[in-house]
């Protein structure tokens, strides 16, 4: 059994999500190979070779793979996949984008966002916004899987010494082109991997008031998230959204400020180790999942909290 | 140009679902069903393209039980021109749905196919991408902006770090994110008019598509319940608990 893990990266840095995906591959068992598809990505290949437990790294360095356009990447992965028992990618927006295309090219079903490995063909995954956990078994010759990164502890980024092999793929399919991107800039830790997350909802009232959360987050070394209400109201950009349709987080500590706790928000954070809710409405559903709840005005509580931690 | 929109009948997003006692699935008896929220956004986008003069005809398709006709009528009331129901009593996986949609695409020859990015029941986020592979069309997933110009469509996509814009050759596939638009409500006159719009019913067999799957659901369980927490009286108490009891800061 040999497993192919597709590396998540931006041509400069190997994303931490790759380490969680390798952890899922380890749980399945077998040889683990990593594919790095990109442009000018030699350094990523070297970083991937150092990941604990990886035996081989394939590097496909081609301008066609620079932005991981699925029309170009999927044929490359589908070609390779036939030699593997499993193909895994992190359930990031990138993994979710190209991997189902790979599965369809191979004519197999995909298993999305697994949170546990029961055996090499049986996996657990959440459905209905995390309100039910399905155990699914696949009889496909190649199991194509995306991995929910919060379900698996990252493996060591150091300690491995895999062989690196350069490969070539079919290149540019000529169907799509990258035009540009606007990335949110932040010095805070990445939301999906942060140990502490401070999130604000509609109760923050406006975007300016998020400064209270940024300030608290900086003191705690935390990332800042938001509910859909805060994003829709334009308080913060949508890449901060935590929930069924945003990011899934499972930090050590999740502090929900002015968030009522709708089903769709809980789907994104209820696997956090400790949940703190700060809300003036003591009937808010968030208190039903919070380990520690504090009823009161967030504009008094948050600055005091910042002072005391 | 012709636009094809795929819609799914799912449990209403406000319903708190219950797992059946025998762990065979989720209890859907007597539960409110609606159009999947992401599909509503797909219909709205198609209607807006028609209002801008970009789209000439909107065909809406659903794959599911007879009752999915309700969701198709809703889409017709929102502005779609005609509907196709691929009737299947079985719950189908994304690949089977994508294959059925491919058969409909072959027949209808749309220039643009719009789907939701995921259904809120299975949470798969696969069908649009799989349809892309089967048709060979380019895909613009998680779209928050769609602009058709000439023989291309520019799609602004929601990605983990922010936004990304790609240019796709037509015909193409777009899957909608929540921020693409704000769906309208159907007015009563439009609901009445929708009853007269054409709705064709076909079967997977008639389309020549096998819907067998390599996936089997062994069981469905309720997630582990969180133990009830406590309410603290003051910020000082909260900080004390976080430091000494939970040891997370």
């Amino acid at each position: 059994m040999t497993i192919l893990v597709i590396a998540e990266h931006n041509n400069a840095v190997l994303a931490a999500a790759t380490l969680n995906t390798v952890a899922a591959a380890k749980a399945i068992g077998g040889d683990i190979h990593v594919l790095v598809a990109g442009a000018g990505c030699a350094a990523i290949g070297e970083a991937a070779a150092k990941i604990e437990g990886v035996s081989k790294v394939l590097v496909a360095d081609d301008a066609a793979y620079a932005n991981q356009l699925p029309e170009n990447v999927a044929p490359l992965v589908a070609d390779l996949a036939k030699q593997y028992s499993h193909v895994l990618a992190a359930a990031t927006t990138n993994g979710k984008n190209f991997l189902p295309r790979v599965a369809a090219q191979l004519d197999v079903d995909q298993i999305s966002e697994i949170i546990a490995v029961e055996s090499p063909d049986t996996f657990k995954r959440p459905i209905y916004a995390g309100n039910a956990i399905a155990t699914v078994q696949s009889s496909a010759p190649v199991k194509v899987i995306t991995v929910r990164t919060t379900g698996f502890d990252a493996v060591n980024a150091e300690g491995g010494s895999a062989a690196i092999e350069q490969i070539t793929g079919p290149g540019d399919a000529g169907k799509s082109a990258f035009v540009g991107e606007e990335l949110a800039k932040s010095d805070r830790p990445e939301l999906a991997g942060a140990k502490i997350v401070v999130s604000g909802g509609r109760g923050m009232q406006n975007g300016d008031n998020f400064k209270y959360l940024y300030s608290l987050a900086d003191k705690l070394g935390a990332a800042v998230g938001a509910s859909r209400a805060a994003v829709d109201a334009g308080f913060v950009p949508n890449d901060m959204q935590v929930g069924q349709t945003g990011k899934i987080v499972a930090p050590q500590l999740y502090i929900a400020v002015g968030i009522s706790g709708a089903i769709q928000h809980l789907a994104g954070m209820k696997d956090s180790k400790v949940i703190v809710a700060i809300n003036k409405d003591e009937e808010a559903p968030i208190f039903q999942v919070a380990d520690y709840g504090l009823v009161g005005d967030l504009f008094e509580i948050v600055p005091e909290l910042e002072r005391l931690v | 140009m012709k636009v094809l929109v795929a819609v799914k009948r799912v449990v209403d997003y406000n319903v708190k679902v219950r797992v059946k006692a025998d762990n065979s699935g989720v209890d859907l008896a007597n539960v409110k069903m609606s159009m999947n929220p992401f599909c509503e956004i797909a219909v709205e986008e198609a209607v807006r393209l028609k209002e801008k003069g970009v789209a000439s005809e909107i065909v809406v398709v659903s794959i599911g039980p007879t009752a999915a006709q309700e969701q198709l009528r809703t889409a017709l009331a929102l502005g779609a021109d005609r509907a196709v129901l691929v009737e299947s009593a079985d719950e189908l996986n994304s690949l089977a749905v994508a294959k059925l949609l491919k058969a409909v695409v072959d027949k209808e020859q749309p220039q643009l196919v719009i789907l939701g990015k995921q259904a809120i029941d299975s949470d798969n986020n696969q069908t649009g991408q799989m349809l892309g592979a089967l048709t060979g069309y380019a895909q613009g997933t998680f779209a928050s902006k769609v602009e058709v110009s000439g023989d291309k469509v520019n799609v602004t996509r929601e990605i983990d770090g922010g936004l990304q814009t790609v240019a796709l050759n037509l015909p193409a596939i777009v899957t909608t994110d929540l921020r693409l638009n704000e769906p309208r409500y159907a007015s009563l006159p439009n609901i009445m008019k929708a009853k007269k719009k054409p709705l064709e019913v076909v079967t997977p067999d008639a389309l020549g598509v096998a819907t067998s799957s390599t996936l089997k659901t062994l069981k469905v369980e309720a997630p582990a319940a969180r133990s009830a927490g406590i309410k603290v009286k003051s910020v000082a108490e909260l900080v004390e608990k976080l430091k000494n009891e939970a040891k997370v800061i």
Side-chain angles (χ1 to χ4, degrees):
Chain A
M1 225 167 39
T2 318
I3 302 169
L4 182 66
V5 171
I6 320 297
E8 173 89 13
H9 67 93
N10 62 359
N11 295 308
V13 189
L14 182 72
T18 311
L19 303 177
N20 305 86
T21 314
V22 170
K26 265 179 111 171
I28 294 168
D31 252 12
I32 302 171
H33 296 181
V34 173
L35 170 68
V36 176
C41 56
I44 309 287
E46 282 160 30
K50 292 197 190 106
I51 300 175
E52 185 193 343
V54 172
S55 61
K56 188 154 109 180
V57 174
L58 306 170
V59 177
D61 200 331
D62 188 323
Y65 307 134
N67 298 292
Q68 257 117 49
L69 293 173
E71 296 80 5
N72 298 349
V73 171
L76 167 74
V77 178
D79 260 4
L80 287 171
K82 291 168 191 141
Q83 306 154 33
Y84 291 90
S85 60
H86 297 72
V87 177
L88 270 58
T92 54
T93 48
N94 185 41
K96 290 175 186 173
N97 192 28
F98 75 84
L99 206 62
R101 209 171 161 110
V102 172
Q105 281 193 308
L106 295 168
D107 195 24
V108 297
D109 292 286
Q110 180 188 289
I111 310 165
S112 291
E113 305 224 15
I114 62 162
I115 54 169
V117 174
E118 298 286 286
S119 74
D121 68 358
T122 309
F123 309 91
K124 282 188 190 283
R125 60 176 302 263
I127 53 175
Y128 289 90
N131 288 302
I133 307 295
T135 305
V136 295
Q137 189 175 43
S138 167
S139 58
V142 186
K143 276 98 179 147
V144 178
I145 297 167
T146 62
V147 175
R148 182 170 287 189
T149 53
T150 56
F152 298 87
D153 291 331
V155 297
N156 261 330
E158 301 288 334
S161 56
I164 300 177
E165 186 184 319
Q166 304 291 328
I167 60 164
T168 51
D172 194 341
K175 287 175 183 160
S176 56
F178 172 80
V179 176
E181 61 189 5
E182 278 174 60
L183 300 180
K185 287 197 176 58
S186 166
D187 298 332
R188 292 187 194 89
E190 193 200 349
L191 187 54
K195 291 213 159 41
I196 303 178
V197 174
V198 180
S199 278
R202 200 194 306 273
M204 297 308 296
Q205 295 177 4
N206 59 51
D208 197 35
N209 285 337
F210 262 75
K211 64 175 187 247
Y212 293 106
L213 301 189
Y214 294 138
S215 170
L216 172 63
D218 288 343
K219 186 127 184 221
L220 291 168
V224 179
S227 70
R228 186 182 167 200
V231 172
D232 279 353
F235 299 172
V236 290
N238 67 280
D239 52 276
M240 285 170 62
Q241 186 182 329
V242 171
Q244 185 184 16
T245 65
K247 294 202 171 70
I248 312 288
V249 300
Q252 294 288 305
L253 172 62
Y254 188 89
I255 305 179
V257 183
I259 292 176
S260 64
I263 295 171
Q264 291 78 13
H265 185 72
L266 298 182
M269 47 62 81
K270 67 179 176 170
D271 293 325
S272 306
K273 184 161 172 267
V274 174
I275 298 173
V276 170
I278 298 168
N279 205 302
K280 66 179 178 201
D281 174 12
E282 60 181 314
E283 302 296 321
I286 190 79
F287 286 118
Q288 292 163 18
V289 298
D291 298 282
Y292 302 107
L294 186 49
V295 179
D297 182 359
L298 68 93
F299 295 107
E300 287 166 20
I301 292 171
V302 174
E304 194 184 344
L305 183 57
E306 188 190 333
R307 210 157 35 76
L308 292 177
V309 292
Chain B
M1 65 181 195
K2 190 194 268 190
V3 179
L4 183 73
V5 182
V7 302
K8 184 176 184 185
R9 173 183 170 89
V10 298
V11 167
D12 188 85
Y13 72 96
N14 279 315
V15 171
K16 183 134 175 53
V17 296
R18 261 172 228 277
V19 171
K20 285 187 199 165
D22 65 357
N23 293 116
S24 63
V26 162
D27 193 356
L28 297 181
N30 302 316
V31 168
K32 186 183 175 203
M33 304 294 279
S34 303
M35 193 192 297
N36 181 43
F38 291 97
C39 302
E40 283 184 358
I41 294 168
V43 172
E44 175 67 28
E45 194 63 19
V47 174
R48 289 186 190 189
L49 286 173
K50 195 174 178 193
E51 287 167 349
K52 276 191 241 168
V54 176
S56 50
E57 189 188 21
I58 302 168
V59 181
V60 59
V61 55
S62 189
I63 294 161
T66 316
Q69 291 196 16
E70 285 169 32
Q71 279 63 47
L72 288 172
R73 289 289 171 205
T74 305
L76 292 170
L78 291 168
D81 296 295
R82 59 190 175 85
V84 178
L85 173 65
V86 181
E87 195 170 313
S88 167
D90 305 327
E91 184 123 349
L92 299 176
N93 281 318
S94 301
L95 183 62
V97 171
K99 285 178 178 173
L100 290 165
L101 288 175
K102 159 79 162 58
V104 176
V105 166
D106 286 346
K107 206 166 125 201
E108 299 285 347
Q109 297 289 318
Q111 284 294 98
L112 193 62
V113 186
I114 313 182
L115 305 89
K117 79 164 179 180
Q118 77 190 62
I120 60 164
D121 51 359
S122 58
D123 280 337
N124 271 333
N125 197 331
Q126 298 173 2
T127 306
Q129 295 90 314
M130 288 180 157
L131 182 61
L134 298 176
T135 55
Y137 296 170
Q139 67 185 52
T141 53
F142 327 146
S144 60
K145 197 169 159 197
V146 176
E147 284 175 317
V148 178
S149 64
D151 60 351
K152 287 202 191 307
V153 55
N154 275 356
V155 178
T156 301
R157 309 178 50 235
E158 310 232 338
I159 59 170
D160 285 331
L163 297 170
Q164 178 196 64
T165 305
V166 290
L168 313 175
N169 296 352
L170 291 173
I173 290 161
V174 168
T175 74
T176 63
D177 216 316
L178 283 175
R179 260 160 297 280
L180 181 58
N181 59 47
E182 188 85 34
R184 69 194 67 187
Y185 292 98
S187 66
L188 188 58
N190 285 344
I191 292 170
M192 299 311 288
K193 272 186 230 158
K195 292 184 197 241
K196 295 203 180 71
K197 289 186 180 176
L199 193 160
E200 181 194 353
V201 180
V202 294
T203 61
D205 284 346
L207 292 171
V209 176
T211 56
S212 61
S213 169
T214 52
L215 270 189
K216 196 164 78 179
T217 299
L218 301 181
K219 64 179 172 190
V220 175
E221 301 158 293
R226 287 191 77 95
S227 50
I230 55 161
K231 291 239 173 86
V232 292
K233 299 246 170 340
S234 67
V235 177
E237 190 188 346
L238 174 64
V239 171
E240 193 273 322
K241 295 265 189 214
L242 289 178
K243 278 189 173 149
N244 302 323
E245 195 174 280
K247 299 192 192 328
V248 284
I249 54 173

